[in-house]
Amino acid sequence: MGSPNILLLMTDQQRWDAMGCSGDWVQTPNLDRIASEGVQFTNCVTTSPVCIPTRLSLATGLYPHNTGVWNNMQHQMPAETPTWMQAVRDAGYRTSLFGKTHLHPHGGDLREREGLMNAYGLDDVNEIGGPRASANVLSHMTAEWEAKGLWDGYRADYRERFSTKPYLVRPSTLGLEDYADVYVGQQAKQYLQNYDREEPWCCWVSFGGPHEPWDTPEPYASMYDPKEMPPAVPRPPAGERPQGHLDRLMQRMNPAFEPGEIGRLRANYAGNVTLIDAQIGEILDAIAARGELENTLIVHTSDHGEMNGDYGLIYKGNFLNGAVRIPLLVRAPDSTNAGITCDSPVEWIDIGPTLVEIAGGELEHRQFGQSLCPVLTNSEATHRDFAISEIEGEIMLLTQEWKAALNKDGEVYLLFDVKNDPDETNNLAGKPEVVDVETALRLQILERLMQTQLRKPFRQ
C-alpha cells in the first residue's frame, strides 16, 4: 500500500481525563474510536505545562533546559532549527499544518510567515493564533471573520470577558459555523478531500480549543449539565515543606468561585472538547472516503491540560495532574494491538520520533524524544522508567509509583504517592518518613539532567 499517511491531531489545553475513554464526563466518540483501534497511553506528561516551551519541545525533541525557554516568553524558533517536520518531509511526504503552532510570537499577520513555516518543515500552511491572540493577530481565519462582519464583535466580547472575570462562561459571538475550532477542522477536511499529489501526506491539525475562554457555541454550550460535572479537587493546606512555583501560583490565583461556577465552566469546557471531536470525525470520514483510513497513522494529543477549578486554579503552568497530564492516542496503520492501554510513563516529545520512524525518515540532530513504535507492538513494555516535565527553572519526575518536583534550589517541594493518592491531595514533601524516597528521586532527576545536556547551547 506504500508509505502510510500521517494525521497528527492536537488540541490546546485538553486534560488527560477529558475523553470518554479516559474519564466518564466528556463524550468523544471519535477519539474513543481511535483509542479502540490503537494504543491509549495513560501516563503521558507534557514536556512543559505551558504553551510556548512545550510546542518548541515537540518540534525539536529538546527540553526547556536545552532550549532555555521556560515559560511563555517571546520566542521565535530559528528557521534553521532541526525538526521532526523536516525529517518527515525529507522522507518523501507532503507536510501540512492547519491551526496553531505558536513556534513564533503571536503578533502581526501570520499569513506573512508562511516562508518561516516552510523552513520549519511545513509545506502547506493555514495558521491561526490561539483564541485570545485571534482578537489581534491577522490570519486567513480573521480575514474571513472581518469579511463577514464578525471580527469586531469577537474583539469586543473578549475585552468585556476578561475585564469582567477571566472565567466568564458564555457562548462565543461567532456562532458554530465560524468558531475557530470548526474553521480549523473544515480547512483540514477540505485539504484532504482535495489532495491530489503523488506523495503521501502528513497533516497536522492543531485546534485552538478547549483553551480558555469558556466560550463554546451552541448547541455544544448547553450539551452538558453543570451539576453532573466532576467536582474539583480541593486545595489542601500547604503544610511545612519547601515552597515552589505552584505555591507562588496559588498565592496569585484565588478565583472567588461562586456556588456552581466550577460546574458551569467544566460543562462549557466539555462542550468544546465534544465540538472538536465532531470535527475530528468529519476529518476521519474524509480520509475514509478516499479509501486511505486503513493506511493512515493517527495520533491525538494536547500540549498541556487545564486545571478547571482543581486546587482552586484555572489554566495550567504547574505540575499537578490537571495541567501536566495529557491525552495520547496512537493508532498505527498495521496495529495488531487494538484497544490497548499502556501505563508506562511517556513524554510528549516522544511523538516526533514516532512520526519520523513511521515515515521511514531519520532524525539526525541530538534530541531526547524516544519513538513509541516498540510499544505499539508490545504495550506491556516499559517505554520509559520515568517521564519529566519542566517550568520556570523547576523539574518534575513521574514514575509509576511517585511524582516528585524540585524547586529552583533543588529541594523536593511536591511528592505524591501516585497509586494511593491519585487526586494529589496528600503532599508528602518534607516529611521525615520519606527522606530516602526524596533522595532517590532527586538523584534520578539530576542524573537525567546530566544525560540530556547539549554539546552547544540551543539559544545563543
Side-chain angles (χ1 to χ4, degrees), residues 245 247-254:
H245 175 65
D247 300 291
R248 293 187 293 274
L249 193 63
M250 291 193 294
Q251 287 166 5
R252 289 200 312 270
M253 189 182 289
N254 283 287

Side-chain angles (χ1 to χ4, degrees), residues 146-224:
E146 192 166 29
K148 292 182 176 182
L150 296 171
W151 201 27
D152 286 346
Y154 180 86
R155 299 165 86 170
D157 178 57
Y158 265 55
R159 284 194 298 273
E160 205 275 328
R161 276 176 189 278
F162 291 106
S163 65
T164 305
K165 58 184 174 185
Y167 49 97
L168 191 68
V169 178
R170 72 174 177 221
S172 169
T173 59
L174 294 167
L176 179 64
E177 180 186 349
D178 296 293
Y179 195 62
D181 294 328
V182 174
Y183 176 85
V184 169
Q186 293 303 305
Q187 291 293 317
K189 180 180 84 170
Q190 289 161 20
Y191 174 83
L192 292 173
Q193 284 174 330
N194 297 324
Y195 188 82
D196 61 356
R197 300 178 65 95
E198 290 185 5
E199 309 102 305
W201 50 261
C202 173
C203 184
W204 178 6
V205 189
S206 185
F207 295 96
H211 191 290
E212 90 281 339
W214 288 268
D215 70 344
T216 305
E218 293 291 2
Y220 296 93
S222 54
M223 181 174 284
Y224 292 89

Side-chain angles (χ1 to χ4, degrees), residues 167 231-239 241 243-257 262 266 306-318 320 414 416 421 423-427:
Y167 49 97
V233 175
R235 182 181 296 186
R241 58 167 175 79
Q243 302 284 290
H245 175 65
L246 174 62
D247 300 291
R248 293 187 293 274
L249 193 63
M250 291 193 294
Q251 287 166 5
R252 289 200 312 270
M253 189 182 289
N254 283 287
F257 291 120
I262 290 175
R266 288 189 170 212
E306 158 63 52
M307 294 302 290
N308 262 342
D310 285 345
Y311 264 62
L313 297 171
I314 53 175
Y315 309 154
K316 59 277 184 180
N318 66 76
L320 296 172
L414 296 178
F416 297 112
D421 182 23
D423 289 337
E424 303 179 327
T425 56
N426 183 22
N427 187 357

Side-chain angles (χ1 to χ4, degrees), residues 17-30:
D17 60 353
M19 298 186 293
C21 56
S22 60
D24 57 1
W25 59 288
V26 186
Q27 298 169 34
T28 55
N30 296 293

Side-chain angles (χ1 to χ4, degrees), residues 298-449:
I298 304 172
V299 175
H300 172 72
T301 191
S302 190
D303 58 349
H304 49 70
E306 158 63 52
M307 294 302 290
N308 262 342
D310 285 345
Y311 264 62
L313 297 171
I314 53 175
Y315 309 154
K316 59 277 184 180
N318 66 76
F319 293 135
L320 296 172
N321 271 341
V324 83
R325 282 180 70 189
I326 53 174
L328 179 58
L329 310 174
V330 182
R331 184 267 213 179
D334 56 352
S335 179
T336 52
N337 277 352
I340 303 297
T341 58
C342 176
D343 299 327
S344 172
V346 299
E347 294 178 0
W348 145 271
I349 58 171
D350 297 336
I351 294 169
T354 306
L355 304 185
V356 173
E357 181 172 342
I358 291 286
E362 287 186 36
L363 286 167
E364 296 180 354
H365 68 288
R366 179 166 164 79
Q367 60 90 50
F368 305 108
Q370 296 177 196
S371 171
L372 295 162
C373 287
V375 199
L376 299 181
T377 53
N378 179 12
S379 62
E380 294 183 8
T382 299
H383 181 65
R384 291 181 181 268
D385 293 326
F386 56 84
I388 66 171
S389 185
E390 302 177 319
I391 191 171
E392 297 286 3
E394 297 186 351
I395 184 165
M396 178 213 87
L397 178 140
L398 175 73
T399 71
Q400 289 188 313
E401 290 79 37
W402 297 99
K403 178 192 281 188
L406 301 187
N407 62 21
K408 285 183 178 179
D409 295 324
E411 303 167 307
V412 177
Y413 82 98
L414 296 178
L415 181 66
F416 297 112
D417 177 340
V418 298
K419 283 195 164 58
N420 296 310
D421 182 23
D423 289 337
E424 303 179 327
T425 56
N426 183 22
N427 187 357
L428 301 172
K431 297 189 184 304
E433 62 268 26
V434 293
V435 64
D436 290 345
V437 173
E438 286 190 353
T439 300
L441 293 171
R442 184 189 291 111
L443 286 173
Q444 261 189 305
I445 290 172
L446 296 176
E447 183 179 13
R448 183 61 177 159
L449 284 172

